[in-house]
Amino acid sequence: MSHIETFDTTTAGRKPVRVWVDGCFDMMHFGHANALRQARAMGDYLVVGVHSDEEIEKNKGPCVMKEEERYAAVAACKWVDEIVKDAPYVTTLEVLDEYNIDFVVHGDDITTAADGTDCYQIVKDAGRYKECKRTVGISTTELVGRMLLLTRDHHIRGSRTVKSPIQGVDEAAVANFTQGSLPAGALTGIAHYLSTSKKIIQFSSGREPKAGDKVVYVDGAFDLFHTGHIEFFKRARELGDYLLVGIHDDQTVNAIKGGNFPVMNLQERVLGALQCRYVDEVIIGAPYSVTKDVLEDVYHVDVVVHGASDQPLDIDGRDPYELPKTLDIYKEVEHPRLDLTTTTIIERIIANRHVYIERQARKAKKALAEAEAEQREKELKAALHL
Ligand code: CTP
């Protein structure tokens, strides 16, 4: 195990309450971030243990994101003070003592190891366990499910065709996908998350730029928020004091990227960006081309930053960065992870399609068994008038 200290928190006159959360954090999404937010609010310092690829493979099958990507995703969450790499799958008292932890927080569902034992039984028995509310409507399983339904033997993105080695794809999904032009979830009906203003407020930094602060603007789809986005935000943020992120709406992303993109809808993508420690504010549904309104109406933008990659033109055929280029406020940063994009993540899933389908089926069976057990317990309680 090794750890990275990201933050230092001090509490006046009392011992800080140190909280531990552990997990896989595969394709880190706003449900994970919401658990970390709640856990951080229960104490003063949040340590997050992230399992290695090997540990996860042994206990529940392969991850989509590699361990270094998962470590980086958790470390970039603004409620995390420290991460511990290669944390044990079953939480032990030894690990809690090593990091001077008061208690563990986990979402209100049962997590079991490969042998069926509750991963938190030891810490529950020791009275060092608390629960937070799991976010309904989002999970890694759900995201993988959306992408499996999007499967076909190639993705067409403008003129670029990405070949996949997988044969035997679901013809109906292919047909739906190629027809495209529908927002995420509309086609598959599996975008279950119900967005509320409260959740946006909880995730929002509430920060405003101070007088003299240099405001940086970046925009994009930020679909399946990943390490490539995080590194890009970090670099853009370093070029100023305040990072404003424009997030394109579902119709815009779909018109530009085609097929059934985006995988996550606008509200989900907004929460994904807001949980990132480098983001100060977002524009929900920013236009694809940077307009005068974008540069003036929210805050006065000093610099517009874009990753150095070929950027599709706007639907009217114009360069979306024409205005900032004319105003000489346009800058490019080297894209640090060109190998990691929303498309390459989808390709990973397609390449391992059979493994993931099996994993999805196992998860669904487990969820059904849990729901039935809960129903039986309810009926028993009702029968006993409890
Ligand atoms: N979590 C949550 N809400 C979600 C998903 C996860 O609160 N929608 C919480 C889990 O309960 C756990 C933490 O995030 O406390 C890390 O979860 P992880 O180990 O990655 O596993 P899963 O619960 O399986 O997450 P997912 O279903 O997304 O794979």
Side-chain angles (χ1 to χ4, degrees):
M1 257 186 307
S2 62
H3 77 282
I4 305 176
E5 197 149 325
T6 53
F7 257 46
D8 181 25
T9 311
T10 47
T11 42
R14 68 172 169 85
K15 180 190 166 296
V17 174
R18 292 173 64 92
V19 181
W20 171 276
V21 172
D22 55 25
C24 309
F25 301 97
D26 192 17
M27 301 185 54
M28 170 105 178
H29 50 69
F30 61 91
H32 293 133
N34 195 35
L36 300 178
R37 182 188 66 78
Q38 295 173 76
R40 180 63 174 73
M42 293 184 200
D44 305 299
Y45 191 91
L46 177 62
V47 184
V48 183
V50 185
H51 313 310
S52 67
D53 290 345
E54 198 188 330
E55 256 318 73
I56 299 170
E57 174 95 46
K58 266 196 309 215
N59 285 283
K60 73 170 189 186
C63 273
V64 178
M65 305 307 282
K66 301 183 178 81
E67 58 198 22
E68 286 306 328
E69 294 163 347
R70 293 183 292 103
Y71 298 149
V74 176
C77 174
K78 64 184 175 189
W79 295 292
V80 176
D81 295 299
E82 183 179 333
I83 71 156
V84 174
K85 298 178 178 183
D86 191 14
Y89 202 80
V90 173
T91 315
T92 60
L93 297 178
E94 288 75 25
V95 79
L96 300 191
D97 291 340
E98 186 183 342
Y99 291 94
N100 204 8
I101 301 296
D102 293 281
F103 55 84
V104 178
V105 173
H106 184 73
D108 50 359
D109 61 325
I110 291 189
T111 305
T112 50
D115 63 4
T117 53
D118 181 346
C119 294
Y120 298 99
Q121 199 53 54
I122 301 168
V123 294
K124 281 178 183 170
D125 293 344
R128 288 166 79 178
Y129 178 84
K130 289 189 187 191
E131 261 172 12
C132 67
K133 225 178 143 356
R134 217 180 134 82
T135 309
V136 178
I138 182 74
S139 67
T140 305
T141 310
E142 167 137 345
L143 289 175
V144 170
R146 289 185 204 179
M147 285 178 270
L148 286 172
L149 283 171
L150 300 185
T151 298
R152 59 179 191 165
D153 59 355
H154 63 280
H155 297 292
I156 297 166
R157 179 178 174 270
S159 58
R160 204 161 67 94
T161 300
V162 186
K163 286 280 173 204
S164 153
I166 297 302
Q167 303 297 319
V169 291
D170 178 339
E171 289 305 322
V174 173
N176 284 337
F177 196 107
T178 41
Q179 279 151 21
S181 76
L182 289 168
L187 194 73
T188 59
I190 53 174
H192 290 139
Y193 175 69
L194 298 175
S195 184
T196 60
S197 62
K198 185 174 165 196
K199 186 63 74 260
I200 292 183
I201 292 167
Q202 286 168 334
F203 272 50
S204 167
S205 75
R207 277 193 297 271
E208 302 233 339
K210 296 190 293 294
D213 272 358
K214 193 170 174 183
V215 176
V216 179
Y217 179 73
V218 295
D219 65 356
F222 306 108
D223 198 9
L224 296 175
F225 195 72
H226 55 69
T227 333
H229 298 135
I230 294 168
E231 275 300 316
F232 171 59
F233 281 167
K234 185 166 183 250
R235 288 177 191 211
R237 180 69 165 72
E238 281 164 3
L239 295 174
D241 310 290
Y242 190 93
L243 185 64
L244 176 63
V245 178
I247 306 188
H248 306 142
D249 66 24
D250 298 336
Q251 284 75 13
T252 304
V253 177
N254 190 259
I256 300 290
K257 290 197 80 172
N260 198 33
F261 286 104
V263 177
M264 299 181 90
N265 67 32
L266 177 62
Q267 286 80 7
E268 295 174 318
R269 291 182 285 115
V270 163
L271 294 176
L274 281 177
Q275 60 82 34
C276 178
R277 64 173 74 245
Y278 306 115
V279 175
D280 293 290
E281 179 61 292
V282 300
I283 296 180
I284 305 171
Y288 189 71
S289 285
V290 181
T291 57
K292 191 168 167 292
D293 303 350
V294 167
L295 298 180
E296 293 299 338
D297 285 7
V298 181
Y299 297 117
H300 171 79
V301 171
D302 297 284
V303 54
V304 175
V305 178
H306 183 62
S309 60
D310 57 332
Q311 171 76 22
L313 299 174
D314 205 338
I315 31 179
D316 59 7
R318 293 173 70 157
D319 175 0
Y321 297 104
E322 193 176 291
L323 180 63
K325 281 177 184 168
T326 313
L327 296 171
D328 204 19
I329 57 166
Y330 176 80
K331 269 208 176 106
E332 281 189 357
V333 289
E334 195 64 42
H335 203 302
R337 290 292 310 262
L338 271 180
D339 59 317
L340 189 63
T341 63
T342 303
T343 305
T344 59
I345 294 173
I346 295 174
E347 282 172 341
R348 284 185 195 182
I349 290 163
I350 293 173
N352 269 313
R353 191 163 191 261
H354 303 293
V355 176
Y356 290 117
I357 286 175
E358 204 183 295
R359 196 178 83 169
Q360 300 291 101
R362 263 202 319 272
K363 269 250 181 188
K365 209 168 139 192
K366 194 175 154 208
L368 191 69
E370 280 166 11
E372 281 171 2
E374 202 175 307
Q375 183 59 29
R376 276 198 301 276
E377 198 180 313
K378 263 192 205 151
E379 283 168 9
L380 190 67
K381 275 187 180 162
L384 296 171
H385 304 293
L386 289 175

